[in-house]
Amino acid sequence: MEYKLKNRPRRLRSSKNIRNMVRETRVSTDSLIYPFFVTDGKNIKEEISSMPGQYRWSLDRLPELLQKLRESDIKNILLFGIPNEKDEVGSSAWKENGIIQRALKLIKKEFDGFYCITDVCMCEYTSHGHCGILSGESIDNDKTLEIISKIALSHAKAGADMVAPSDMMDGRIGAIRDTLDKNSFTNIPIMSYSVKYSSGFYGPFREAADSAPAFGDRKTYQMDFHNSREALIEAKLDDIEGADILMVKPGMAYLDILTKIKEKTDKPVALYSVSGEYSMIKAGASLGYIDERSIIGESAVCMFRAGADILITYYAAEIAELIKNGEIG
Ligand code: PBG
């Protein structure tokens, strides 16, 4: 039987060489950012129970992690701080000798070559676990701007290469840009968590950072996951206010949002594949239901394919290894 098919898409899948030649998505370790937690205290390398393989690090133990990241060729890091003191206004977040500030100084002094990005938020530092200043049971947007700007400035002073505000207050990018510029940090970029949804996928992170809100939830500031046009408003506002990179968060279940934002902006777009995504893959793999390596590679590539220029992921080292071995790339 003879078929007269002119188009046979399988021709371009017939060998590894030709498949690699026609690949539409290329991934690089340069585009990865590894997030991790630094904590006050000594001799701490404590595994986060809902995120096997991820740890809280005290500064004296941090060189072990940085060494490992170097070996994996991971150059970009995102720091979260776990302070030993919390109060109503999160004042340990902008202390000159706070946990993030000390971590930055240490990394810059002893581990040259890392590009250090800091999460700018209050929830890890407030006794109530909210990302802003309370007024009764609600969050006062404009009072929070002042504090968020102060935190960003203290990070820049301590040596941050980039700041990443995640609080979702209105106007924070403009406020931070203003404060940084007034203090001669005109060249420090802002990566904004522009499109951050109120999400159950942050559960393991909140355990890791001990930052769950003591009452209520974050729905009055983080976005409602039923909405997608609203994401364009958030991204546009941040763009106008001077954000250098726009971020979408979470990742996996929000790739439609990422693609939409990418079509509308000319700025780089980052995607944050969050703690719950990591934990789901870990849990599924540990039960033997899925193959961890293949799922890590596939999901990373799919996130880039959907439009990510930058991927923030707890699996950065594993993805780097897959790229190096030619399993993805
Ligand atoms: C701080 C912050 C959170 C995450 C990043 N920055 C938690 C939250 O908003 O509750 C989540 C990251 C993750 O889940 O991996 N506001």
Side-chain angles (χ1 to χ4, degrees):
M1 178 99 161
E2 201 185 322
Y3 294 98
K4 295 231 160 40
L5 294 180
K6 285 213 171 77
N7 282 301
R8 291 180 181 271
R10 289 187 56 197
R11 286 183 199 124
L12 299 185
R13 295 180 206 139
S14 62
S15 73
K16 192 162 189 227
N17 272 15
I18 186 68
R19 286 194 300 272
N20 288 2
M21 192 192 299
V22 299
R23 261 179 188 168
E24 297 172 44
T25 307
R26 305 279 173 187
V27 297
S28 158
T29 305
D30 291 340
S31 311
L32 301 174
I33 300 174
Y34 178 67
F36 62 88
F37 304 89
V38 285
T39 180
D40 267 322
K42 277 207 168 55
N43 196 22
I44 299 170
K45 178 191 174 184
E46 188 183 4
E47 191 166 47
I48 299 154
S49 61
S50 54
M51 299 177 76
Q54 303 300 315
Y55 301 84
R56 299 182 191 90
W57 299 89
S58 60
L59 298 185
D60 54 340
R61 297 288 298 270
L62 198 53
E64 181 187 328
L65 171 66
L66 297 173
Q67 199 55 49
K68 215 188 116 233
L69 291 175
R70 252 192 194 164
E71 284 157 22
S72 303
D73 211 22
I74 301 293
K75 302 172 202 83
N76 312 310
I77 52 181
L78 173 60
L79 279 75
F80 293 94
I82 307 171
N84 54 10
E85 282 167 25
K86 302 189 186 220
D87 62 23
E88 276 280 300
V89 295
S91 60
S92 56
W94 69 84
K95 275 196 321 207
E96 210 186 307
N97 63 345
I99 177 64
I100 288 292
Q101 291 78 357
R102 278 184 289 128
L104 285 167
K105 284 175 203 153
L106 173 89
I107 297 168
K108 287 290 164 191
K109 188 158 161 265
E110 317 256 340
F111 281 85
D112 197 26
F114 281 105
Y115 191 86
C116 299
I117 309 165
T118 55
D119 184 83
V120 174
C121 196
M122 290 171 61
C123 62
E124 298 109 274
Y125 304 89
T126 50
S127 43
H128 45 76
H130 277 290
C131 306
I133 296 285
L134 289 187
S135 165
E137 295 235 322
S138 60
I139 315 299
D140 187 320
N141 191 88
D142 296 12
K143 272 192 194 148
T144 302
L145 296 185
E146 212 176 295
I147 307 280
I148 288 293
S149 306
K150 239 200 275 205
I151 300 172
L153 177 60
S154 80
H155 290 179
K157 281 183 177 162
D161 295 297
M162 183 191 279
V163 292
S166 66
D167 54 293
M168 284 303 278
M169 296 301 126
D170 295 332
R172 71 211 197 280
I173 303 304
I176 292 173
R177 188 70 272 160
D178 232 36
T179 305
L180 291 179
D181 289 353
K182 274 188 195 131
N183 288 277
S184 308
F185 290 107
T186 43
N187 287 326
I188 299 290
I190 303 175
M191 172 164 68
S192 176
Y193 288 69
S194 301
V195 179
K196 178 176 178 181
Y197 285 87
S198 175
S199 169
F201 285 102
Y202 309 150
F205 174 98
R206 291 182 189 167
E207 185 220 310
D210 184 26
S211 65
F215 63 88
D217 52 39
R218 303 209 204 289
K219 287 187 191 299
T220 69
Y221 39 107
Q222 299 180 348
M223 284 178 54
D224 180 348
F225 54 74
H226 297 78
N227 300 348
S228 95
R229 280 183 301 148
E230 187 189 5
L232 299 176
I233 299 177
E234 285 286 2
K236 188 157 57 174
L237 287 173
D238 286 359
D239 187 351
I240 293 167
E241 288 174 36
D244 298 279
I245 297 174
L246 306 175
M247 188 207 297
V248 173
K249 180 184 169 197
M252 233 188 258
Y254 292 79
L255 297 185
D256 58 324
I257 307 293
L258 172 72
T259 304
K260 250 192 184 155
I261 303 273
K262 184 66 182 276
E263 281 164 4
K264 292 273 179 177
T265 183
D266 296 324
K267 288 185 172 169
V269 180
L271 185 74
Y272 195 149
S273 179
V274 299
S275 56
E277 300 173 47
Y278 174 89
S279 301
M280 286 197 307
I281 296 176
K282 274 282 167 201
S286 78
L287 289 168
Y289 294 163
I290 52 169
D291 175 54
E292 188 178 18
R293 279 176 78 82
S294 64
I295 299 280
I296 293 170
E298 181 180 335
S299 47
V301 169
C302 293
M303 289 174 195
F304 284 109
R305 191 197 60 219
D309 298 299
I310 298 162
L311 179 60
I312 305 166
T313 168
Y314 301 95
Y315 273 128
E318 288 81 353
I319 295 169
E321 198 196 321
L322 293 172
I323 295 172
K324 206 165 146 201
N325 294 343
E327 291 178 51
I328 56 170

